[in-house]
Amino acid sequence: MRLSIDHRTTYRFSAPQARLVQMLRLTPPDTHDQTVAHWKINVDRDAHMRHGRDGWGNRVTMLYVNGPVTSIEIAVEGEVVTSHSDGVLHGAGEPLAPAVFLRATEATLPDPAITAWAQGIGGDAQPLAALHAINTALHERSRVDLKRPETPLAAGAAFGEPSVTPRDLAHIFAVAARSLSIPARYVSGYSAAAFLGRHAPAPHSWAEAHVDGLGWVGFDPCTGRCPEEDYVRVAVALDAAGAAPVAGSRLGVGEEDLDVDVTVSRQG
Amino acid sequence: METRPAFDEIMGLSGDKPPRPELAALGRWLENTSGDELRRRQESAEAAFRQLGITFAVYGETEAAERIIPFDIVPRVFLHEEWTRLSEGLVQRVEAINAFLDDIYGEQRILSEGVLPADLVLTNPQFRPEIAGMRPPHGVWAHICGIDLVRTGPDDFFVLEDNARTPSGVSYMLENREAMLRLCPELFRSYRVEAVDSYPDRLLETMKSVAPRGTGTPVCVVLTPGHYNSAYYEHSFLADSMGVELVEAADLEVDDDIVWMRTVAGRVRVDVIYRRVDDDYLDPLVFRPDSMLGVPGLIAAYAAGNVAIINAPGNGIADDKAIYSYMPEIVRFYSGGEVKLPNVETWRCREPEALRYTLDHLGELVVKLVDGSGGYGMLVGPTASRDEVERFRAALIAEPHRYIAQPTLALSTVPTLTDTGVSPRHVDFRPFVLTGANGVQVVPGGLTRVALKEGSLVVNSSQGGGTKDSFVLVPDGPVQNMGPSGMTQTMGGMRQEQN
């Protein structure tokens, strides 16, 4: 499948900023089932860009802007060719051992309610079956709010909320899997399944869990299914903060206003 | 409290006169100098420290009163041969620490070969996946190590703790020496003592040696969290004595993956940063996003190989208490030889048998939190109250993986000035070991910490410990001729080496 992505991020500042330094995780990697045919990051002002990788192995673009700057638009346009993989990841360079993804972070602290829930659903099952059961059950118990998450909630807090974002669901899934001693991680990327043809206010997020003998397998609690060829993986980490599409720092006073617009379309 | 007599480093095993033959002159000095005179000199030294602002803040105290660490006027002395053997062990250990860090953030051979339990590293908060795969310039990770040692006999040294992050205390080594040269010049006439005042030059050379750019004169800076940090004196002291800029995060910026220092004359490219800022606060884009003490983009500059960070980020995994007990295996794995400097015997309470042993012998053991520091969260069995012992028993049963236990060693003593005259007090020792592109060197001296309370084994400054100067004798041993010809002179606090 050929997927076309248009992802615009705009920051507006209430006062001119002297400098901006941003770390962008906006470039998908090539894997066995995902080939980047064309990809471009455009910025609407003079900027220095440097490409590298972070510790998780994600492709990173450092963006350095000298001000005064009152707004900046980062426009990502690209095309990715994907193929069917049953949600199993093949051919991604993995710099870290799976056990690293048993760790907790502030957003994915072990939570007694999630642990009890996960035990009840998957405690007696084989890992792969347990993960599928958790994914399905999480999908069924959740009302998904596709708006961009405003205040970041830890998984435990989000688990008790009436409606949750894809980011919350990925966190909850990771905490649940880790409570069964299964390595799990957060994935940021794009999905035509969740947002096809609509302007989405955020990139998509889902989870991956590591199953011995199979490797990393994707799970999307938003759909209750495994990510298929209409997904584009961009970055992974223990939680959303680690895989953030844009992590930024600015030198200057005042407030910032963020606007994100993502469109994913299928090209035949 | 103790069953065995401690080895006294001046008086020897007898714990009484006469002193060890090599140290007879020091024994005579102690005998011939009155307590009042020793006290007068000690107070003079402490007054100078207070004036300089060499203070530390005690964690957990409500009034953040800054205290000076008490200084003891009686030095500790290492004979040349003792020091030589000790140095060999330190070099081996620090080489292994560097090799371990290079491996653990790279290939992880030590895990794939099963030398260490993988989960102990991979799920350890001190292992930082954020910098996995990045390699510091010249492959040097732990440029400055402070290895905490205890001693139980003339040649019996044990490592208590490795400090491979930002070990502090070197300013005490230097200031204590200055004070001793000023206040007790006669001791330097009796003994030829290795100079420690070259430390800032050695440190600067070490920093320059790991600069990423091969050309020109590397620009080095000291990065401090600021003047409210308890070790700020040391930060400014080191920058000053090396002749480099002391900067805070706001003085640095990263552009195009290069670190720049803002100056009145414009931007200056920075090659080497001796940071006294913890990993968590180093770069808000990679570690804690709320950090105001860090430099956005610093890790990107580091990953691109454009700056050396001293010590390298991620080093905490090498001095983690849970890893410590495996250090003998780690040293053997990377050096291929036998361990020259042993660990203190350690029971890992995560292992059921070790836990059982620990619970059965709580009254004799020192129990420590794997993630604690500064003498907090520690049980010293022989001196603990019944309540304390029972509290630790409950904690151990609840969370055994958080604890290790060690025997209470008969730590060596050194004569120390007390309210009731000179008497033996327990000491430990932190030598400083520098690693540059050209190898490892041990600075001939270090920080001796002394437990001022009689019988106490806790030397931490936060728990009422003090410091002493540490003499390392040059090969010739004691100067026999006390006349002016063989004299080491002191002038304005600087020692002139004799010919």
Side-chain angles (χ1 to χ4, degrees):
Chain A
M1 183 179 287
R2 196 174 188 93
L3 295 166
S4 166
I5 287 120
D6 184 315
H7 176 184
R8 281 160 207 279
T9 306
T10 310
Y11 288 92
R12 289 183 193 82
F13 307 106
S14 62
Q17 304 295 303
R19 292 196 81 228
L20 298 179
V21 179
Q22 295 187 327
M23 182 162 66
L24 313 179
R25 291 184 191 86
L26 289 171
T27 307
D30 286 319
T31 66
H32 190 271
D33 297 297
Q34 171 174 303
T35 305
V36 180
H38 152 79
W39 202 262
K40 199 156 173 46
I41 300 176
N42 290 306
V43 179
D44 66 345
R45 56 187 58 251
D46 279 348
H48 290 145
M49 283 204 245
R50 288 273 162 184
H51 304 286
R53 282 186 192 275
D54 66 12
W56 310 102
N58 301 313
R59 297 173 71 169
V60 166
T61 304
M62 293 299 298
L63 181 66
Y64 302 96
V65 182
N66 286 308
V69 49
T70 51
S71 74
I72 184 167
E73 186 192 68
I74 304 151
V76 177
E77 291 169 82
E79 282 187 358
V80 178
V81 180
T82 61
S83 55
H84 181 87
S85 74
D86 281 325
V88 181
L89 181 61
H90 298 286
E94 293 287 351
L96 292 164
V100 169
F101 297 93
L102 288 168
R103 296 157 69 112
T105 64
E106 232 166 278
T108 57
L109 287 175
D111 177 79
I114 297 176
T115 301
W117 176 81
Q119 278 295 338
I121 291 165
D124 301 326
Q126 292 298 308
L128 187 61
L131 293 164
H132 279 297
I134 286 170
N135 196 36
T136 309
L138 192 52
H139 172 67
E140 283 166 0
R141 81 181 285 282
S142 309
R143 192 153 65 79
V144 182
D145 179 353
L146 291 178
K147 76 174 186 331
R148 184 162 49 82
E150 294 291 339
T151 40
L153 282 182
F159 192 63
E161 289 290 311
S163 77
V164 288
T165 63
R167 180 178 65 184
D168 296 330
L169 284 172
H171 282 161
I172 295 168
F173 183 92
V175 171
R178 290 174 198 161
S179 78
L180 301 176
S181 302
I182 302 171
R185 63 191 182 189
Y186 180 97
V187 188
S188 79
Y190 305 103
S191 161
F195 292 102
L196 184 61
R198 286 185 288 151
H199 288 271
H204 192 44
S205 29
W206 60 98
E208 284 174 351
H210 191 270
V211 180
D212 285 340
L214 200 54
W216 287 101
V217 184
F219 294 92
D220 185 356
C222 277
T223 63
R225 303 159 61 94
C226 290
E228 260 310 329
E229 55 187 330
D230 47 0
Y231 283 68
V232 175
R233 295 170 77 256
V234 177
V236 297
L238 283 169
D239 62 11
V246 182
S249 149
R250 58 192 171 92
L251 186 62
V253 296
E255 303 295 309
E256 70 182 32
D257 181 52
L258 169 63
D259 190 45
V260 180
D261 186 307
V262 181
T263 304
V264 182
S265 37
R266 293 189 180 122
Q267 306 292 306
Chain B
M1 299 293 163
E2 285 164 28
T3 49
R4 287 168 293 173
F7 167 67
D8 189 279
E9 301 195 8
I10 310 287
M11 296 303 174
L13 270 174
S14 63
D16 204 354
K17 294 162 202 172
R20 303 171 74 193
E22 305 88 339
L23 300 176
L26 185 60
R28 281 197 299 278
W29 176 79
L30 272 176
E31 206 170 334
N32 298 337
T33 314
S34 73
D36 285 350
E37 175 59 16
L38 290 175
R39 189 167 320 284
R40 186 192 65 73
R41 296 185 191 183
Q42 184 159 307
E43 282 166 4
S44 164
E46 290 186 345
F49 294 159
R50 202 168 285 117
Q51 206 160 24
L52 284 167
I54 317 181
T55 56
F56 72 101
V58 181
Y59 296 103
E61 283 195 354
T62 42
E63 45 192 278
E66 298 225 324
R67 301 192 202 151
I68 66 157
I69 299 183
F71 169 69
D72 184 72
I73 196 77
V74 185
R76 171 211 221 143
V77 184
F78 293 99
L79 306 183
H80 175 71
E81 315 76 67
E82 292 172 352
W83 185 257
T84 304
R85 280 191 291 274
L86 180 58
S87 296
E88 286 169 6
L90 289 167
V91 168
Q92 183 195 43
R93 187 140 180 138
V94 169
E95 282 175 347
I97 286 173
N98 274 292
F100 172 64
L101 287 162
D102 208 41
D103 185 29
I104 218 70
Y105 287 109
E107 288 181 67
Q108 302 190 330
R109 269 196 315 125
I110 196 164
L111 300 186
S112 52
E113 296 193 17
V115 177
L116 282 185
D119 70 306
L120 200 66
V121 172
L122 300 176
T123 59
N124 190 314
Q126 297 301 337
F127 172 71
R128 305 306 303 244
E130 296 90 340
I131 54 104
M134 299 174 194
R135 196 158 185 263
H138 304 272
V140 181
W141 294 76
H143 311 80
I144 307 163
C145 283
I147 308 294
D148 288 349
L149 302 169
V150 292
R151 186 180 191 183
T152 59
D155 269 318
D156 304 311
F157 290 92
F158 298 90
V159 178
L160 200 57
E161 198 171 296
D162 300 286
N163 294 281
R165 282 172 252 192
T166 51
S168 60
V170 81
S171 59
Y172 294 100
M173 171 180 85
L174 298 168
E175 296 291 1
N176 287 358
R177 176 59 53 80
E178 286 237 11
M180 290 302 288
L181 285 163
R182 183 164 57 84
L183 296 165
C184 303
E186 67 275 21
L187 283 177
F188 296 89
R189 286 195 284 273
S190 306
Y191 290 102
R192 293 177 61 202
V193 179
E194 295 270 12
V196 292
D197 57 10
S198 63
Y199 178 80
D201 293 337
R202 293 176 187 233
L203 176 58
L204 186 59
E205 278 315 306
T206 300
M207 288 173 67
K208 286 180 174 170
S209 79
V210 295
R213 286 190 296 174
T215 55
T217 307
V219 174
C220 305
V221 299
V222 176
L223 173 64
T224 175
H227 62 270
Y228 46 81
N229 183 276
S230 64
Y232 182 73
Y233 170 79
E234 186 161 297
H235 309 164
S236 68
F237 172 88
L238 285 172
D240 200 40
S241 41
M242 286 192 288
V244 307
E245 294 292 332
L246 178 68
V247 300
E248 295 185 25
D251 301 317
L252 299 180
E253 65 183 36
V254 180
D255 197 353
D256 231 6
D257 285 1
I258 290 167
V259 183
W260 302 88
M261 170 169 55
R262 297 196 191 93
T263 75
V264 283
R267 300 205 300 190
V268 175
R269 180 170 175 166
V270 174
D271 301 287
V272 185
I273 301 174
Y274 177 21
R275 51 75 178 240
R276 297 294 295 258
V277 172
D278 291 346
D279 284 0
D280 266 346
Y281 297 92
L282 210 48
D283 179 346
L285 300 186
V286 175
F287 300 112
R288 284 182 62 144
D290 57 345
S291 170
M292 305 295 284
L293 307 173
V295 184
L298 180 57
I299 294 299
Y302 171 70
N306 290 335
V307 69
I309 300 175
I310 287 176
N311 286 348
N315 276 16
I317 192 63
D319 63 18
D320 182 72
K321 286 200 182 72
I323 299 295
Y324 160 86
S325 65
Y326 293 91
M327 276 307 290
E329 286 95 324
I330 291 173
V331 171
R332 266 195 295 275
F333 183 73
Y334 295 108
S335 74
E338 268 318 295
V339 177
K340 296 176 180 169
L341 195 53
N343 267 11
V344 177
E345 188 178 7
T346 301
W347 288 274
R348 303 187 270 255
C349 300
R350 75 200 311 256
E351 298 168 2
E353 266 182 44
L355 176 65
R356 202 170 317 127
Y357 180 88
T358 302
L359 291 172
D360 287 347
H361 297 83
L362 271 184
E364 309 152 26
L365 298 174
V366 177
V367 182
K368 293 176 179 173
L369 265 177
V370 167
D371 48 7
S373 73
Y376 295 101
M378 180 163 144
L379 175 81
V380 182
T383 59
S385 71
R386 220 193 164 91
D387 275 2
E388 278 178 290
V389 171
E390 289 315 308
R391 213 170 48 241
F392 265 78
R393 184 184 305 282
L396 270 163
I397 293 168
E399 297 185 291
H401 61 279
R402 294 189 66 200
Y403 294 90
I404 55 171
Q406 294 172 332
T408 37
L409 297 177
L411 293 199
S412 61
T413 58
V414 176
T416 297
L417 184 62
T418 71
D419 291 343
T420 54
V422 174
S423 35
R425 289 291 182 271
H426 295 293
V427 292
D428 80 352
F429 185 54
R430 175 179 290 182
F432 294 93
V433 185
L434 298 176
T435 306
N438 307 317
V440 181
Q441 56 173 319
V442 183
V443 181
L447 173 66
T448 291
R449 298 187 298 179
V450 52
L452 294 173
K453 253 190 282 175
E454 189 174 5
S456 169
L457 296 168
V458 184
V459 297
N460 301 72
S461 49
S462 51
Q463 309 275 305
T467 71
K468 283 173 172 291
D469 193 5
S470 315
F471 288 10
V472 174
L473 300 188
V474 296
D476 294 353
V479 176
Q480 297 302 326
N481 180 0
M482 297 287 283
S485 58
M487 187 190 291
T488 298
Q489 296 179 347
T490 62
M491 293 180 67
M494 295 291 289
R495 191 159 68 93
Q496 313 288 303
E497 289 289 343
Q498 60 185 10
N499 296 320

